[in-house]
Amino acid sequence: MGVINVTPDSFSDGGYFDTTEKAIEQARRLIQEGADILDIGGESTRPGSRSVGGDEELLRVMPVIEFALSMDIPVSVDTSKPEVMRATIDAGVDLVNDINALRAPGALDVVADSAVMICLMHMQGKPETMQHNPQYSDVVAEVISFLEQRVAAAVSTGIERERIIIDPGFGFGKTFEHNLMLLRGLDRLVSTNFPVLAGLSRKSMLGTITGNAVNDRVHASVAAGLLAVGQGARIIRVHDVKATRDAFSVFAAVNRIAPGFLLHL
């Protein structure tokens, strides 16, 4: 899953693709590099970020989504707003990627009234405050419990289990140690029998390990992605598609599995 942030303030590439022209060029580049899915978002969710209005978010993402759909590639919209979900679903997106796990009023109904897939992510707190001393007794167990509750809410609203993907939310209300424990225990999320999406690309935990700045974490991101895939993750959300895809090709060859072993929408 290739990331396109049409924002001025995302943690890694904020401002790089904040115009339609730049974002479309990045979409074309990620497709050429081998992305299977494009994840397009118009609101930063980095720690300390502030929300933007639904109209502004739609102005940012709709032209890029329309271009991506014209390229015949599965498209994900990264949003927590029901009005953005509805408009982009009507436009033809394949997946709603919601860091808020459909907790906004009306979000469950919007997705239930469609045929799109949904990714439910765990987050403790909100982006503005989520890194202010997050606490867990057992981070893996608590993340699984939260996601099971959100799956139950989705299913009770009419969203089929086959449409649901789960995401532990690396970096969203977690300390460095929490993130490491989640990565070590990712197989426990896989055992829930829902496809797991892992978003580790360029995250601060990798900077803590390597000492590298956010835009110098390609190698660490690829390593983290491979560790996640090795434990059964099916979708890896990345900024550096070619480097990650090359590593996955080696992984697939050594393990004698088909190159397309990850989930395709």
Side-chain angles (χ1 to χ4, degrees):
M1 173 183 275
V3 179
I4 303 175
N5 291 314
V6 195
T7 63
D9 56 347
S10 291
F11 84 96
S12 176
D13 52 6
Y16 288 8
F17 314 115
D18 60 346
T19 68
T20 298
E21 293 75 15
K22 291 177 182 177
I24 285 175
E25 182 56 35
Q26 177 67 355
R28 186 178 287 109
R29 182 181 302 112
L30 295 182
I31 292 169
Q32 291 171 346
E33 290 184 359
D36 294 304
I37 310 166
L38 293 183
D39 188 47
I40 301 168
E43 177 179 77
S44 173
T45 53
R46 64 178 174 79
S49 63
R50 295 186 179 275
S51 181
V52 301
D55 289 343
E56 174 65 22
E57 191 174 332
L58 282 168
L59 283 172
R60 294 176 180 183
V61 301
M62 283 301 291
V64 188
I65 286 173
E66 289 167 357
F67 169 80
L69 290 169
S70 75
M71 299 297 288
D72 196 28
I73 184 171
V75 176
S76 164
V77 59
D78 181 356
T79 188
S80 296
K81 296 184 179 68
E83 65 270 31
V84 176
M85 295 177 192
R86 187 179 301 280
T88 55
I89 288 170
D90 289 345
V93 299
D94 302 274
L95 168 66
V96 170
N97 184 15
D98 183 5
I99 66 165
N100 202 38
L102 298 181
R103 285 181 288 173
L108 283 165
D109 291 330
V110 169
V111 174
D113 288 341
S114 75
V116 300
M117 296 190 73
I118 174 66
C119 183
L120 305 171
M121 195 195 81
H122 175 274
M123 173 175 58
Q124 187 179 100
K126 297 181 179 180
E128 299 96 317
T129 59
M130 64 187 178
Q131 291 307 108
H132 295 176
N133 194 32
Q135 299 286 328
Y136 300 89
S137 297
D138 181 336
V139 65
V140 179
E142 291 173 49
V143 166
I144 291 173
S145 176
F146 169 85
L147 291 172
E148 287 177 340
Q149 292 172 27
R150 297 313 301 159
V151 165
V155 171
S156 69
T157 312
I159 300 170
E160 296 85 356
R161 294 176 66 88
E162 294 75 19
R163 294 164 56 192
I164 298 173
I165 299 164
I166 60 173
D167 178 350
F170 289 102
F172 285 82
K174 283 97 176 171
T175 65
F176 173 70
E177 288 297 333
H178 294 147
N179 287 317
L180 288 183
M181 286 187 280
L182 270 176
L183 186 52
R184 293 187 192 112
L186 200 63
D187 58 333
R188 290 168 61 186
L189 277 88
V190 171
S191 70
T192 64
N193 294 319
F194 290 98
V196 172
L197 183 153
L200 291 152
S201 181
R202 303 186 185 179
K203 290 290 176 75
S204 63
M205 64 179 287
L206 305 179
T208 300
I209 293 168
T210 64
N212 292 336
V214 64
N215 289 320
D216 191 23
R217 298 174 188 166
V218 177
H219 304 94
S221 297
V222 171
L226 280 176
L227 287 168
V229 168
Q231 293 201 66
R234 298 290 299 279
I235 304 175
I236 309 297
R237 185 178 183 272
V238 301
H239 300 83
D240 306 290
V241 168
K242 186 180 188 308
T244 309
R245 191 161 190 94
D246 286 350
F248 286 175
S249 295
V250 175
F251 180 94
V254 170
N255 288 281
R256 297 181 179 178
I257 53 181
F261 66 96
L262 299 181
L263 179 70
H264 288 264
L265 298 179

